[in-house]
Amino acid sequence: MSLRLTNTLTRRTEPFVPLVPGKVSIYCCGVTVYDLCHLGHARSYIVWDVLRRHLLWRGYAVTFVQNFTDIDDKILRRAAEEGSSMEAVSERNIADYFTDMDALNILRADRMPRATLCLDGIRALIGELEAKGAAYSADGDVYFAVMAKADYGKLSGRDLDQQQEGASGRLADEEEARKHHPFDFALWKAAKPGEPSFPSPWGPGRPGWHIECSAMVRQELGDTIDIHLGGADLIFPHHENEIAQSEVASGQPLAHFWLHNGMVNVGGEKMSKSLGNFTTIRALLDSGVSPMTLRLFVLQAHYRKPLDFTAEALEAAASGWKGLNAALDLVARAVDPAASTASASAEVEGALDGFRERFGAALDDDLNTSAALAVLFELARPLRSLAHRLQRGDGTAADEAREPELLARGALLQELAAVLGLIAEALPTGAPAAGGEADVAELEAAIAARRQAKAERDFATADRIREDLRARGIELIDRPGGVTDWIRA
RNA sequence: GGCGGCAUGGCCAAGUGGUAAGGCAGAGGAUUGCAAAUCCUUUACCCCCAGUUCGAAUCUGGGUGCCGCCUCCA
């Protein structure tokens, strides 16, 4: 079975066939860098990261391009608010983007163009559209004429005549007056006094939002690409307009596949800046949510469906990840990948191939990460069990007999988990985290006192010490052999 | 008004014609001085109505409810 993907353009799930055998070109709409990324961004980039990893796993050579929009009204507003510059705001947020996405183990794109560095291509494209009669200028602005594209609306399934103009309540009157058609959109915006601007044949100004993607796709990947990615909220108008611009200019289809991820909801409503119901990735990570928990949370749902963000769901993901991580951690520490594959029996290999098959088939089926995760959990269960028994030091002869199977199973789990970008995280240990030497010494003394009390069967004292430490945020864990570990809860 | 999507156990969520994956939580058991951790077992006729079919959560029609987009948006 081969990869099938749901194409927004056709509204169907269709077999994926690349333009060039063995190679896949992908463009993913990136962020406007005026603020930290929130969970909605995390979902989008985690999901597309899995698409990319899966294609790589299947042996494709993938070229993945993602942009940064570093020219935008909101960036300018932010710069004005904080008394800095557009460049300063952009640079800071790009750095933060990498910090957050790296933490989530999202592979960096092969190339990440920025609007400010693609102005030549943007101006050239606008010039071409003007020459073809698909663009017109008005008071220093340049607009794309949607009537120039006969099939305008094909991606979002819209009939312009039946749209309710201004239904979103966000149209500016002055701008509307300059347009020939209500759905015409800006390719170039004249700079207002005092605003940063770039020179152009139409006067100083800056590019419209949609044109940068068209220019970047062409510059980095050519006229037609395999897959174009983005959030479902970009279908209209952003992607519709990209198609209009690019296809009028080149006469070729812009992308064969258009994939869109569903929104993250909070209380049944879309997470967004305007509603003020967003949670930044940074805030989640700072609050102690592990990056892998976030990945698991996102991947447990199908990418096209809405995903409700609740504290309960996040806790469930954290618990789930803990179990998976226990198995992965065991593998990372105990399995030597080089030695693990040779010894398993043919029967075991056959069984494991079954898991591999199911996992691959799940992802091939329009990225069914939920089903793929189920395979991971099934693979992990006996490994968790072994990890626990080894930890207690009561591994049995039967375990040893099964060792080749478990080693092979562990190696497979590691391989498949990596396709979902899930990698072992260090488990909490008794190692001192924050806190000075004196604190640790005092803690050790308390633990020693408790050990003494336990030896004398004075459990009241032992429990009081446990409670005292718990009140200070220290959790004691008794291990076999009289050893007591502690963690900061 | 137009376009699109969703409705599966306490929660999250797969499954799109042959008698309901997985995760979380809960319950029972094992282990444990206590606690934590761990292991085992266990919990569903799939929003409503009608229809097609030998057979439907899965197809068709009609309802009901919720959500997204209609020039900020991942």
Side-chain angles (χ1 to χ4, degrees):
Chain A
M1 181 167 160
S2 59
L3 178 61
R4 295 165 57 81
L5 297 169
T6 298
N7 191 350
T8 306
L9 202 53
T10 59
R11 276 129 227 276
R12 304 164 99 106
T13 304
E14 12 183 70
F16 173 72
V17 180
L19 291 158
V20 178
K23 295 187 177 179
V24 183
S25 54
I26 299 178
Y27 182 86
C28 178
C29 275
V31 287
T32 300
V33 285
Y34 72 101
D35 204 348
L36 288 170
C37 290
H38 59 61
L39 192 56
H41 300 105
R43 180 186 197 189
S44 190
Y45 300 123
I46 286 171
V47 160
W48 304 138
D49 184 57
V50 168
L51 170 66
R52 184 179 177 192
R53 288 173 184 272
H54 183 231
L55 288 167
L56 290 169
W57 186 57
R58 286 296 196 210
Y60 288 102
V62 179
T63 304
F64 196 101
V65 176
Q66 182 175 321
N67 71 304
F68 284 119
T69 298
D70 60 352
I71 307 176
D72 173 81
D73 288 346
K74 288 201 278 292
I75 301 174
L76 290 174
R77 195 184 315 141
R78 185 59 55 96
E81 283 167 11
E82 61 185 46
S84 67
S85 65
M86 187 170 83
E87 290 75 17
V89 172
S90 297
E91 288 300 335
R92 185 184 68 231
N93 284 299
I94 287 172
D96 285 338
Y97 173 90
F98 282 126
T99 301
D100 293 346
M101 298 302 164
D102 287 352
L104 294 176
N105 197 29
I106 291 166
L107 296 171
R108 291 198 184 191
D110 295 306
R111 293 195 288 280
M112 302 202 77
R114 304 181 188 187
T116 50
L117 299 177
C118 297
L119 288 161
D120 287 340
I122 290 171
R123 283 182 290 238
L125 193 52
I126 297 174
E128 281 177 50
L129 291 171
E130 199 174 34
K132 295 197 177 198
Y136 57 91
S137 52
D139 298 335
D141 288 350
V142 181
Y143 294 97
F144 182 91
V146 292
M147 297 314 278
K149 184 86 161 66
D151 58 1
Y152 185 83
K154 68 178 176 182
L155 180 71
S156 53
R158 268 152 226 270
D159 180 348
L160 289 183
D161 294 338
Q162 300 195 68
Q163 293 304 296
Q164 214 172 66
E165 189 186 334
S168 69
R170 258 183 269 114
L171 298 178
D173 292 342
E174 334 78 75
E175 191 182 12
E176 290 314 294
R178 290 195 283 273
K179 293 181 183 177
H180 295 355
H181 183 106
F183 283 89
D184 288 353
F185 54 91
L187 297 169
W188 190 263
K189 295 176 175 180
K192 298 190 185 81
E195 280 182 350
S197 67
F198 304 90
S200 85
W202 311 279
R206 56 183 194 274
W209 176 36
H210 317 298
I211 195 69
E212 68 175 80
C213 288
S214 286
M216 288 170 181
V217 170
R218 182 160 76 164
Q219 171 185 307
E220 301 292 339
L221 297 166
D223 285 334
T224 302
I225 64 174
D226 288 302
I227 303 174
H228 194 126
L229 306 171
D233 51 354
L234 298 184
I235 295 171
F236 190 90
H238 185 53
H239 289 163
E240 196 69 71
N241 291 349
E242 261 187 78
I243 288 174
Q245 296 161 340
S246 292
E247 296 189 354
V248 165
S250 73
Q252 303 295 321
L254 174 55
H256 279 181
F257 278 81
W258 287 84
L259 271 50
H260 293 97
N261 64 275
M263 300 293 98
V264 172
N265 290 166
V266 179
E269 286 186 314
K270 176 182 160 184
M271 177 177 286
S272 73
K273 295 281 184 191
S274 52
L275 286 169
N277 59 354
F278 60 92
T279 305
T280 63
I281 298 168
R282 188 64 56 86
L284 284 167
L285 296 181
D286 285 349
S287 75
V289 176
S290 91
M292 292 299 118
T293 290
L294 233 45
R295 275 192 93 103
L296 190 64
F297 169 68
V298 165
L299 296 175
Q300 277 191 296
H302 185 83
Y303 78 93
R304 282 189 288 106
K305 286 193 176 181
L307 174 60
D308 246 307
F309 174 62
T310 62
E312 296 72 30
L314 200 61
E315 277 168 29
S319 297
W321 169 244
K322 203 158 100 186
L324 214 45
N325 192 211
L328 282 169
D329 177 71
L330 172 78
V331 176
R333 286 188 293 104
V335 173
D336 177 2
S340 65
T341 47
S343 49
S345 69
E347 187 184 353
V348 168
E349 288 293 352
L352 292 181
D353 281 347
F355 282 102
R356 190 197 301 274
E357 280 292 314
R358 279 173 57 210
F359 179 87
L363 289 187
D364 276 346
D365 181 18
D366 198 28
L367 298 181
N368 190 340
T369 51
S370 186
L373 278 170
V375 175
L376 256 42
F377 278 107
E378 288 175 35
L379 265 176
R381 197 176 302 129
L383 290 165
R384 290 170 62 183
S385 175
L386 175 66
H388 176 244
R389 275 174 286 140
L390 290 178
Q391 183 189 43
R392 298 208 317 187
D394 63 350
T396 65
D399 286 332
E400 284 168 30
R402 293 176 65 206
E403 199 171 331
E405 175 188 346
L406 288 165
L407 289 175
R409 186 181 264 264
L412 180 62
L413 174 67
Q414 201 172 40
E415 174 193 335
L416 300 186
V419 177
L420 298 183
L422 296 171
I423 51 174
E425 284 179 335
L427 297 170
T429 67
E437 301 256 336
D439 286 345
V440 174
E442 184 193 340
L443 184 57
E444 295 296 346
I447 291 172
R450 177 165 168 276
R451 187 182 304 128
Q452 181 65 32
K454 281 172 63 177
E456 293 165 4
R457 302 197 64 80
D458 178 5
F459 297 122
T461 300
D463 288 346
R464 186 172 46 73
I465 291 171
R466 174 192 289 288
E467 286 307 319
D468 287 349
L469 291 175
R470 181 176 288 157
R472 293 164 52 190
I474 304 290
E475 193 71 33
L476 297 184
I477 302 169
D478 292 333
R479 303 284 187 201
V483 179
T484 298
D485 283 344
W486 59 274
I487 58 171
R488 290 184 191 281

